[in-house]
Amino acid sequence: MVPIQMVDLKRQYTKIKPQVDAAIQEVLESAAFINGGAVQKFAEELQQYLDIKHVIPCANGTDALQIAMMALDLQPGDEVITPSFTFIATAEVIALLQLKPVFVDVDPKTYCLDVAAVEKAITPKTKAIVPVHLYGHVADLEPLMAVAAKHNLYVIEDNAQAIGGNYTLADGTVKKAGTIGHIGCTSFFPSKNLGCYGDGGALFTNDDALAAKIRMVANHGQSARYYHDVVGVNSRLDSVQAAVLRIKLPLLDEYINARRAVADAYDAAFADMPQITTPYRAANSYHVFHQYTIQLNGADRNKLQQYLAEKQVPSMIYYPVPAHRQKMFEHFGSAAFDLPVTDNLTTKVISLPIHTEMDKDQLDHIIHSVKSFLNHPPA
């Protein structure tokens, strides 16, 4: 059996090696390493895939979130509502810009923002909401957008884990994750469903004026060469990464289907096991399974992880310490936030390997290992 990885990027690369190598070679021969043709072409192709007016590439997903908040002219002291149960970057950029992160709890099924909790947390200082499409499940955006409209707030979608995911509105309209809020942000970190071979990110919007502001902020605040209208940053997707992403974008739906097939197999295998709560799939969210994260009910997570490692099965805990329990946010009084769902999840979730190249032998071995431990736990 091929050794199991959380994400097997080497085997994925092997399948597209000739196309990727040729694309990279083309960039090398052009010597257009910054803002080369591949960057603009990728942006246009991603716009078509997402059915959105503007895609602005940048250096990484964290930059995308920061640029979004800068482009919206959020000011020090403004409050931004976000989940605590997420990767730290979501809240980190809020604090970096001297804004105040306001942490709210997540839905116990989807692990995405609890809309009722969001509305309760709104104050006169609230200016934006950052929902996270965690693990590949799209947050419940339609009621969230209604709350935002009611209170005149911006919505910035953290779509780092759900690119390619769909959200179905009440009228049956289907939209891509990242295209419903005022701004969508994503990451092309190598392990993402659409990943490059280094760092990369992008912002999405249908607002022409906002797109122009985002482009300025991402490029030193320039409106024209050497004319700087606002304070900006230097955040670019390089041409080599764009070339790789152009090869992988047409395969994204295929990659998602492969991940969902693995998730289906896990779901079926664990359906009769009370010790496991498998990932919930809301009817209006097309889950793209960036991670396959189960919740353990009464089982010892540390011992399971150790047992799996002995069986050469990797696993990860996303995330063991929520943002409101992190030292970096203590000065915001974050420890006082009452987030029982989040605190409970951080003690119970564990993610199993899921990727586009997983074969039946690997999948069977993972399932057998998990079941063996839970059916006959060591003393």
Side-chain angles (χ1 to χ4, degrees):
M1 183 178 66
V2 175
I4 300 169
Q5 311 289 332
M6 285 297 291
V7 180
D8 197 336
L9 296 176
K10 186 171 183 179
R11 290 176 76 195
Q12 186 187 74
Y13 164 64
T14 300
K15 287 187 176 180
I16 54 175
K17 185 178 188 301
Q19 300 97 305
V20 168
D21 290 358
I24 293 174
Q25 187 63 36
E26 186 176 335
V27 172
L28 297 178
E29 290 176 0
S30 74
F33 303 120
I34 301 295
N35 291 328
V39 178
Q40 182 59 39
K41 289 175 183 175
F42 170 66
E44 292 170 356
E45 290 159 1
L46 188 54
Q47 282 166 195
Q48 293 174 2
Y49 176 83
L50 295 172
D51 190 23
I52 198 163
K53 289 178 71 175
H54 303 281
V55 168
I56 301 99
C58 65
N60 56 69
T62 306
D63 277 8
L65 290 163
Q66 178 180 334
I67 291 164
M69 294 177 199
M70 293 174 71
L72 293 172
D73 293 323
L74 302 186
Q75 299 298 310
D78 287 348
E79 294 178 356
V80 179
I81 295 174
T82 189
S84 177
F85 192 48
T86 179
F87 181 60
I88 201 66
T90 313
E92 182 182 33
V93 296
I94 299 171
L96 179 68
L97 295 172
Q98 297 184 336
L99 311 171
K100 181 180 179 180
V102 175
F103 299 111
V104 299
D105 222 338
V106 293
D107 180 275
K109 290 184 177 179
T110 68
Y111 309 154
C112 298
L113 269 184
D114 181 327
V115 178
V118 168
E119 189 152 29
K120 288 179 182 177
I122 293 171
T123 76
K125 292 184 177 181
T126 307
K127 294 296 186 292
I129 306 167
V130 185
V132 178
H133 305 319
L134 197 69
Y135 303 145
H137 190 289
V138 186
D140 199 4
L141 289 172
E142 191 164 20
L144 188 66
M145 292 301 294
V147 168
K150 176 182 174 182
H151 296 277
N152 195 30
L153 305 176
Y154 294 114
V155 174
I156 303 168
E157 293 180 63
D158 184 337
N159 194 36
Q161 298 187 17
I163 192 161
N166 295 333
Y167 182 85
T168 304
L169 301 172
D171 65 3
T173 302
V174 178
K175 293 192 174 184
K176 288 292 184 187
T179 70
I180 299 171
H182 298 91
I183 303 175
C185 300
T186 201
S187 165
F188 301 124
F189 187 78
S191 64
K192 303 300 185 187
N193 291 23
L194 179 62
C196 56
Y197 292 167
D199 269 320
L203 300 95
F204 322 134
T205 186
N206 279 311
D207 186 314
D208 295 343
L210 196 47
K213 185 71 174 293
I214 290 168
R215 293 182 200 281
M216 274 203 301
V217 172
N219 188 26
H220 299 289
Q222 290 187 115
S223 56
R225 193 167 179 82
Y226 300 125
Y227 289 82
H228 306 268
D229 296 358
V230 298
V231 173
V233 298
N234 175 28
S235 186
R236 298 178 290 220
L237 179 70
D238 73 67
S239 301
V240 169
Q241 303 306 333
V244 172
L245 289 165
R246 288 192 70 208
I247 300 300
K248 296 179 76 172
L249 178 58
L251 300 171
L252 178 55
D253 288 346
E254 179 183 322
Y255 289 161
I256 290 170
N257 289 338
R259 287 174 173 271
R260 284 175 59 87
V262 173
D264 289 346
Y266 281 144
D267 283 356
F270 302 142
D272 60 349
M273 302 197 71
Q275 307 100 315
I276 293 178
T277 298
T278 55
Y280 180 75
R281 308 189 200 192
N284 59 1
S285 170
Y286 185 77
H287 203 314
V288 297
F289 286 99
H290 173 59
Q291 303 293 346
Y292 186 88
T293 303
I294 59 174
Q295 188 179 156
L296 297 176
N297 307 312
D300 188 312
R301 184 173 66 180
N302 291 337
K303 288 184 178 179
L304 171 60
Q305 194 165 36
Q306 181 181 348
Y307 180 84
L308 292 177
E310 292 169 357
K311 300 297 182 181
Q312 285 74 55
V313 175
S315 61
M316 293 291 290
I317 298 170
Y318 306 109
Y319 299 93
V321 184
H324 75 291
R325 300 293 185 193
Q326 298 285 354
K327 186 175 181 179
M328 67 192 294
F329 297 124
E330 283 180 353
H331 63 290
F332 290 110
S334 57
F337 284 102
D338 183 24
L339 308 178
V341 176
T342 294
D343 284 330
N344 181 57
L345 288 173
T346 57
T347 66
K348 293 183 176 180
V349 295
I350 184 169
S351 298
L352 302 177
I354 188 166
H355 55 77
T356 57
E357 314 309 312
M358 190 172 290
D359 57 45
K360 188 177 184 301
D361 286 347
Q362 293 176 317
L363 193 53
D364 288 347
H365 179 66
I366 296 166
I367 290 169
H368 176 75
S369 299
V370 172
K371 282 190 164 187
S372 293
F373 175 86
L374 294 177
N375 288 332
H376 308 285

